[in-house]
Amino acid sequence: PAQDVPEIPEWIFNVPTELLQQLESAESAMRAGNALLAQTQFQALAESSVKDLQAIAKLELASLNSATSMEQLRGVAAQFPEASTPGGLAVADIALLRAIAVSQSEADMEKLIPDVLSRACFHPSWLSERIFGTLEQHVKTSGVLLEDRVVSAH
């Protein structure tokens, strides 16, 4: 069943402090608009031995790239189905939300629908409803002909 509230993940208590500081610094650089510094720091985190940090870093690296494709974000979701942010959000859920946002075509939606359904069935979270809602809204506003599929799946 879906969690009511995200919990701080166990990995956060076991990761070296330097890596958490590097994550915080990378996120701060990204918020400040210093993409080069953020990219360098996220790249180092992507090569760390901590899967959750790898997942966060790859998600943010994809987001920093102005040419980020839906496929890159789907790849992050598929590669890290169990990874979570320090706040307990599933990285895969965030990746799918961002993938929906950058999707460009009906073909993109055709690929995303099974990902969203699989995620909701096998890894439900408190973001599941939001993912379905975002997908449904995107389908309606983009004029894609998949609305009946999304509504019936929801």
Side-chain angles (χ1 to χ4, degrees):
Q3 298 174 317
D4 289 334
V5 179
E7 296 179 12
I8 294 175
E10 193 64 35
W11 69 265
I12 203 83
F13 302 110
N14 302 318
V15 72
T17 305
E18 326 55 88
L19 289 177
L20 290 177
Q21 289 170 339
Q22 188 171 10
L23 175 61
E24 188 175 322
S25 177
E27 290 174 339
S28 179
M30 191 168 68
R31 281 190 302 275
N34 189 341
L36 187 57
L37 178 59
Q39 185 172 11
T40 301
Q41 292 178 337
F42 281 129
Q43 191 59 51
L45 288 167
E47 296 168 11
S48 77
S49 62
V50 181
K51 281 274 190 209
D52 293 86
L53 287 176
Q54 291 173 15
I56 294 165
K58 288 186 178 189
L59 174 67
E60 297 305 350
L61 285 167
S63 298
L64 280 169
N65 179 355
S66 60
T68 294
S69 72
M70 187 244 353
E71 290 297 334
Q72 287 174 293
L73 292 162
R74 284 182 68 222
V76 171
Q79 187 179 359
F80 300 102
E82 303 292 335
S84 61
T85 67
L89 295 175
V91 171
D93 288 349
I94 297 167
L96 286 176
L97 280 168
R98 291 181 185 176
I100 293 165
V102 300
S103 64
Q104 300 286 322
S105 67
E106 186 173 333
D108 285 352
M109 286 292 123
E110 284 279 358
K111 292 176 184 175
L112 277 168
I113 290 171
D115 293 350
V116 169
L117 291 174
S118 174
R119 185 90 196 141
C121 290
F122 299 109
H123 302 279
S125 74
W126 72 278
L127 281 178
S128 297
E129 283 295 316
R130 182 170 178 190
I131 295 169
F132 270 116
T134 302
L135 180 64
E136 188 174 354
Q137 188 61 40
H138 190 75
V139 166
K140 285 180 181 177
T141 59
S142 64
V144 176
L145 302 173
L146 301 171
E147 185 174 349
D148 290 340
R149 232 178 119 183
V150 173
V151 172
S152 66
H154 187 218

